Amino acid sequence: MGTPVWPANTAIKAVVLDFDKTITVKHTRGAIFQTALLEDKNILVNFAHLDFFKRIVPVITSNAKLCIATFADDEEESLLSGKDLVRKYLDLAFDGDSKQYVPDDQIIAWNPENRDLEPKVVGKNMHLQELAAVLKIKKKEFILFDDSDRNCFLARKKGYNAIDVPEPVRAQDSDDVTGGFSEDSWKEFLIAQAKQGGGGGGGCIMM
C-alpha cells in the first residue's frame, strides 16, 4: 500500500465523510455510555481502515478541506458523545493533533430527528449546507462519502457530489474489513473525477 493521490485539476474543494459505518465499522449511535468502550484499544479497533485513514487524511487536507457530517447530538448522560466523540476518534488516529486536519467548525454533529426533521427527507443536506456557509464553498465543490445510499441520493439531488460507501463488514476469522471508507471508495472518487474531466488524465491512480 502506497500513498494515495489527489485528482489533478479537480473542482472539489471539500471532502465530507460520514462517521458511523463509513469511518467506523460498528455504529456508535453517537454516544458512549460504557467505560470499557472509552478505552483506546476499543476505539482504534472500530476504525474500518485505520492505516488508510491515516494516509489519506494528509493528502486530502493538503488539497482541500476535510469535514465530518454525522447524525449525533451531545447526550448529557453519556460519557462521550456528539462532536467530542468524533474528536476522540480523530485524536487517537493522529496522536492528539487532529485539529490541524479537521478544525471543530468542520465537524457537523447533530441528529435531524432531534430538530423535528425527518432524516429520510433531509439526509445530510443541512449538514452540508452548514459546511458550505462556513467554508464559503459551492455545492458542486463538495464530495460526500456516506454508507447511506439515501443520503447520497439526496445530496446529489441538491447538487452535491457523493460516493456511496459499502457498509463495512469485518471477517469472522481475521481483522480484515471490507467496505467503509477505503482505498476502493477513494479509487471510485478518482475514476469519477477523471470521467468528469476533473482528473486531468494521469494522477488518478493509487500509487
Side-chain angles (χ1 to χ4, degrees):
M1 296 182 185
T3 302
V5 300
W6 182 257
N9 304 319
T10 181
I12 297 299
K13 294 182 180 179
V15 175
V16 183
L17 302 179
D18 171 44
F19 183 65
D20 287 303
K21 307 201 86 172
T22 296
I23 293 174
T24 72
V25 178
K26 295 181 180 179
H27 206 301
T28 67
R29 305 298 174 192
I32 292 178
F33 295 92
Q34 299 176 19
T35 303
L37 295 179
L38 277 176
E39 295 181 10
D40 291 357
K41 65 178 182 180
N42 290 326
I43 290 177
L44 289 170
V45 77
N46 197 32
F47 274 90
H49 301 280
L50 180 57
D51 179 69
F52 170 72
F53 189 74
K54 292 168 75 170
R55 288 185 290 118
I56 194 61
V57 165
V59 172
I60 294 172
T61 56
S62 293
N63 295 278
K65 302 294 186 181
L66 177 59
C67 312
I68 309 292
T70 182
F71 290 168
D73 284 301
D74 293 332
E75 298 280 351
E76 290 185 4
E77 297 181 0
S78 70
L79 299 173
L80 197 64
S81 61
K83 185 179 290 189
D84 289 339
L85 176 58
V86 174
R87 179 62 67 195
K88 175 71 172 179
Y89 271 75
L90 296 178
D91 274 346
L92 282 177
F94 295 103
D95 299 322
D97 196 24
S98 66
K99 287 186 179 181
Q100 67 170 313
Y101 300 116
V102 188
D104 283 339
D105 62 358
Q106 289 168 213
I107 300 175
I108 307 299
W110 54 270
N111 193 327
E113 291 181 338
N114 295 331
R115 300 190 182 189
D116 296 322
L117 298 168
E118 175 53 57
K120 292 183 179 179
V121 174
V122 300
K124 291 286 174 65
N125 287 349
M126 295 187 71
H127 294 65
L128 293 169
Q129 185 175 321
E130 282 190 40
L131 289 168
V134 168
L135 301 175
K136 303 187 186 313
I137 292 176
K138 299 176 182 178
K139 292 179 180 180
K140 65 182 180 181
E141 296 171 332
F142 281 88
I143 179 74
L144 169 69
F145 290 83
D146 200 307
D147 71 294
S148 166
D149 56 0
R150 179 67 180 173
N151 288 345
C152 290
F153 168 76
L154 291 170
R156 293 189 198 103
K157 193 173 180 180
K158 285 293 186 179
Y160 300 98
N161 298 285
I163 298 285
D164 298 339
V165 174
E167 183 174 322
V169 177
R170 191 182 302 278
Q172 292 183 351
D173 56 351
S174 73
D175 291 331
D176 293 342
V177 175
T178 56
F181 181 58
S182 66
E183 293 200 29
D184 288 340
S185 50
W186 192 252
K187 286 179 182 177
E188 184 177 345
F189 164 58
L190 296 176
I191 291 169
Q193 287 297 294
K195 288 181 177 178
Q196 291 175 13
C204 286
I205 57 174
M206 300 296 289
M207 302 301 290

